[in-house]
Short mmCIF file of all heavy atoms in Angstrom, two decimals:
data_model
loop_
_atom_site.label_atom_id
_atom_site.label_comp_id
_atom_site.label_asym_id
_atom_site.label_seq_id
_atom_site.Cartn_x
_atom_site.Cartn_y
_atom_site.Cartn_z
N LEU A 1302 -11.29 -0.82 11.93
CA LEU A 1302 -11.27 -0.51 13.33
C LEU A 1302 -12.51 -1.21 13.93
O LEU A 1302 -13.63 -0.90 13.62
CB LEU A 1302 -11.33 0.99 13.62
CG LEU A 1302 -11.27 1.32 15.12
CD1 LEU A 1302 -9.96 0.84 15.80
CD2 LEU A 1302 -11.44 2.82 15.31
N ASP A 1322 -24.88 -0.45 26.21
CA ASP A 1322 -25.01 -1.04 27.52
C ASP A 1322 -25.92 -2.28 27.50
O ASP A 1322 -27.21 -2.10 27.58
CB ASP A 1322 -25.52 -0.02 28.61
CG ASP A 1322 -25.45 -0.50 30.00
OD1 ASP A 1322 -25.44 -1.74 30.24
OD2 ASP A 1322 -25.46 0.30 30.94
N VAL A 1335 -17.60 9.62 24.82
CA VAL A 1335 -16.94 8.27 24.90
C VAL A 1335 -16.69 7.77 23.59
O VAL A 1335 -15.48 7.30 23.21
CB VAL A 1335 -17.81 7.19 25.73
CG1 VAL A 1335 -17.23 5.81 25.52
CG2 VAL A 1335 -17.92 7.53 27.15
N LYS A 1367 -27.68 7.73 17.16
CA LYS A 1367 -26.75 8.82 17.35
C LYS A 1367 -25.35 8.37 17.16
O LYS A 1367 -24.47 9.15 16.65
CB LYS A 1367 -26.95 9.48 18.73
CG LYS A 1367 -26.08 10.61 19.09
CD LYS A 1367 -26.30 11.19 20.45
CE LYS A 1367 -25.38 12.36 20.71
NZ LYS A 1367 -25.61 12.87 22.14
N MET A 1400 -25.64 -0.39 0.89
CA MET A 1400 -26.66 0.65 1.05
C MET A 1400 -26.08 1.83 1.80
O MET A 1400 -25.02 1.75 2.44
CB MET A 1400 -27.88 0.09 1.67
CG MET A 1400 -27.62 -0.57 2.98
SD MET A 1400 -27.44 0.41 4.46
CE MET A 1400 -29.07 1.19 4.58
N GLU A 1412 -22.63 -7.72 6.46
CA GLU A 1412 -22.29 -9.11 6.69
C GLU A 1412 -23.54 -9.79 6.48
O GLU A 1412 -24.56 -9.60 7.12
CB GLU A 1412 -21.69 -9.26 8.14
CG GLU A 1412 -21.36 -10.67 8.49
CD GLU A 1412 -22.55 -11.35 9.31
OE1 GLU A 1412 -22.79 -10.96 10.41
OE2 GLU A 1412 -23.10 -12.25 8.72
N ALA A 1458 -14.61 -22.48 2.99
CA ALA A 1458 -15.49 -21.38 2.74
C ALA A 1458 -15.24 -20.66 1.44
O ALA A 1458 -16.10 -20.20 0.79
CB ALA A 1458 -15.30 -20.37 3.97
N LEU A 1477 -13.33 6.76 -0.38
CA LEU A 1477 -13.53 6.63 0.98
C LEU A 1477 -12.77 7.73 1.72
O LEU A 1477 -11.86 8.32 1.19
CB LEU A 1477 -13.08 5.18 1.50
CG LEU A 1477 -11.51 4.90 1.48
CD1 LEU A 1477 -10.82 5.38 2.72
CD2 LEU A 1477 -11.37 3.40 1.37
#
Side-chain angles (χ1 to χ4, degrees):
L1302 180 64
D1322 188 338
V1335 169
K1367 180 180 179 181
M1400 50 81 68
E1412 179 261 297
L1477 68 83

